[in-house]
Amino acid sequence: MTQIAEIRLRRVLDSRANGTVEADVLTESGGFGRAAAPSGASTGEHEAIELAPEEAIAAARDRAVPRLVGEAYAGDQRGVDRALHAADGTDDFSEIGANSAVAISMAAAKAGADMLGAPLYQHLGGAFRGENFPVPLGNVIGGGEHAADATDIQEFLSAPVGAPSVTDAVFANAAVHAEVGDVLAERGIPAGKGDEGAWAPSVEDEVAFEIMAEATETMSDDVGFEIGFGLDVAAAEMFEDGEYQYSDRTRSTDEQVEYVADLVREYDLVYVEDPLDENDFEGFAELTDRVGEETLICGDDLFVTNTERLQRGIEQGSANSILIKPNQIGTLTDAFDAVELAGRNGLDAVISHRSGETEDTTIAHLAVATDAPFIKTGAAGGERTAKLNELIRIAEDAL
Ligand SMILES: O=C(O)[C@@H](CO)OP(=O)(O)O
Ligand SMILES: [Mg+2]
């Protein structure tokens, strides 16, 4: 029986040492699941609402727990997530907090898997999952909202698209991260690390492009398979007064489209996330029209894992890829629905971490469960390697 018998909520630390919500879900027959909410820094304006952890916990205890304990079944994910929506009663989880909602949703899935005796990816994705693995996109140089005085572009992502296995891919990203560190040292450029463990040198974006091209080529030769790279521009963060504000200049929307299209061609970029403002469906469409055959144009702040925004993007041809972050929308069911809508319309799903993370590994399972072609979960740092190591274990069937 997977009927929920108890839910415990507590405040724990995330990787920025901020408080976040952790949930334990216990079932009547002894099933157990534990999960914690991540937290963004460059959040999209249309995301579900994260409340202060204490507030989210109090509201969830008051409103959601009574609708779940003795009422819902952990094995029935849609039932659990429906109860969370009903308990909240708003469109954006502003009453109980998307942080409480997503922690409970994910913990229930784990408790359901525990009772069924199946790995989480199989409980969520079915018996035939576990054959295909996502290509990990690894953040190796970054700035934006994730590090002060570093690059304007938020993330430069290693993309080992030719890796023969997910394990090879994970180690390739680690090798590119180390190689970037060596190249920075050789050039005498000091660099600390940003929130996601990427190097955060105080350099112009142009220098970061050079270093990425050099490091991915060197490591590609070394490992013997193709390693490309991509970007999360996080352009909404630099969009002010109708223009993109870079440290050395500004760009109009037309100039931004031109700039990114040129970068795609010059560096053979395999992936570009949020190249334009989060409300610019038209600008996205223009860029996708120009370079969508050559690269993935991915909507993160544009879509916020929301099927209504995704539907609009599909109608307008705004992107050929969507970032999936369960905490942007509040439940696993909503995240699944976004992946499925994307898939039916030929968009690739990229399952993603947040800049504030915990040891939670749910997204590794979610990526395998949904057969997603990509996962973005960093390259270095314990809260990042927790997910990467889980992928290695899933591939080895060693859970
Ligand atoms: O913009 C992003 O894609 C994410 C994760 O890399 O950052 P944040 O969690 O800060 O929104
Ligand atoms: Mg992003």
Side-chain angles (χ1 to χ4, degrees):
M1 283 284 280
T2 68
Q3 191 173 59
I4 295 176
E6 190 180 346
I7 296 177
R8 300 179 191 143
L9 297 166
R10 68 181 66 83
R11 195 164 63 103
V12 297
L13 291 172
D14 74 8
S15 54
R16 281 190 278 253
N18 292 328
T20 189
V21 179
E22 180 172 83
D24 292 351
V25 169
L26 292 84
T27 71
E28 221 178 33
S29 339
F32 176 78
R34 171 174 290 163
S39 174
S42 69
T43 46
E45 132 191 8
H46 305 283
E47 291 194 20
I49 305 295
E50 177 187 313
L51 299 178
E54 299 86 341
E55 205 185 321
I57 288 170
R61 278 188 186 137
D62 194 35
R63 303 175 66 134
V65 171
R67 284 184 183 257
L68 290 161
V69 171
E71 302 284 332
Y73 291 83
D76 170 18
Q77 194 65 41
R78 283 196 186 273
V80 168
D81 293 341
R82 251 194 317 270
L84 286 168
H85 276 292
D88 179 82
T90 70
D91 282 346
D92 56 7
F93 277 114
S94 49
E95 287 295 328
I96 64 167
N99 37 351
S100 275
V102 81
I104 294 171
S105 178
M106 298 192 303
K110 290 185 187 179
D114 186 32
M115 271 319 293
L116 299 166
L120 180 59
Y121 74 84
Q122 235 167 45
H123 167 45
L124 295 175
F128 295 102
R129 294 298 191 223
E131 290 298 309
N132 302 328
F133 286 84
V135 174
L137 301 171
N139 189 0
V140 295
I141 304 181
E145 294 295 300
H146 294 166
D149 294 325
T151 53
D152 289 331
I153 290 177
Q154 181 178 283
E155 300 166 25
F156 291 79
L157 301 151
S158 171
V161 286
S165 74
V166 70
T167 304
D168 289 312
V170 165
F171 277 88
N173 283 348
V176 172
H177 186 275
E179 179 65 16
V180 166
D182 289 348
V183 174
L184 287 166
E186 275 160 30
R187 294 189 180 206
I189 303 170
K193 289 181 187 167
D195 286 352
E196 297 183 354
W199 299 105
S202 181
V203 295
E204 300 294 314
D205 288 1
E206 225 179 289
V207 176
F209 275 105
E210 270 171 36
I211 293 174
M212 281 306 288
E214 185 183 332
T216 48
E217 198 185 319
T218 306
M219 292 330 296
S220 190
D221 289 346
D222 205 58
V223 295
F225 54 78
E226 190 187 345
I227 307 175
F229 73 100
L231 308 173
D232 181 359
V233 181
E237 300 295 337
M238 44 174 119
F239 192 65
E240 243 172 76
D241 303 327
E243 288 193 309
Y244 296 89
Q245 316 276 351
Y246 288 80
S247 10
D248 56 342
R249 56 167 294 177
T250 60
R251 288 185 170 88
S252 67
T253 296
D254 286 349
E255 286 168 338
Q256 178 78 354
V257 169
E258 196 68 39
Y259 172 56
V260 176
D262 286 349
L263 289 173
V264 168
R265 295 197 175 121
E266 186 172 350
Y267 294 101
D268 221 358
L269 298 178
V270 299
Y271 176 82
V272 184
E273 180 182 325
D274 282 352
L276 291 141
D277 182 57
E278 61 199 320
N279 292 310
D280 193 358
F281 285 84
E282 295 77 21
F284 262 83
E286 197 188 323
L287 184 65
T288 301
D289 191 42
R290 287 183 54 173
V291 295
E293 297 284 314
E294 294 146 62
T295 193
L296 288 178
I297 300 296
C298 183
D300 169 16
D301 294 346
L302 180 75
F303 295 140
V304 292
T305 318
N306 178 314
T307 49
E308 281 173 29
R309 291 183 68 85
L310 173 59
Q311 186 60 45
R312 180 168 166 204
I314 290 166
E315 281 156 22
Q316 292 188 228
S318 299
N320 54 14
S321 169
I322 177 174
L323 208 73
I324 300 290
K325 293 167 166 168
N327 84 318
Q328 272 182 334
I329 194 70
T331 73
L332 279 180
T333 298
D334 292 290
F336 254 77
D337 288 348
V339 174
E340 280 180 3
L341 178 62
R344 282 198 301 275
N345 290 279
L347 276 77
D348 280 342
V350 182
I351 311 296
S352 173
H353 65 170
R354 300 307 307 248
S355 49
E357 267 295 339
T358 70
E359 312 85 276
D360 193 281
T361 60
T362 306
I363 59 165
H365 288 266
L366 182 59
V368 177
T370 55
D371 214 359
F374 295 93
I375 185 169
K376 184 176 90 156
T377 187
E383 70 283 2
R384 317 291 152 189
T385 55
K387 284 80 163 161
L388 299 169
N389 289 339
E390 189 76 346
L391 284 170
I392 292 172
R393 291 183 204 105
I394 296 172
E396 200 203 313
D397 210 4
L399 292 172

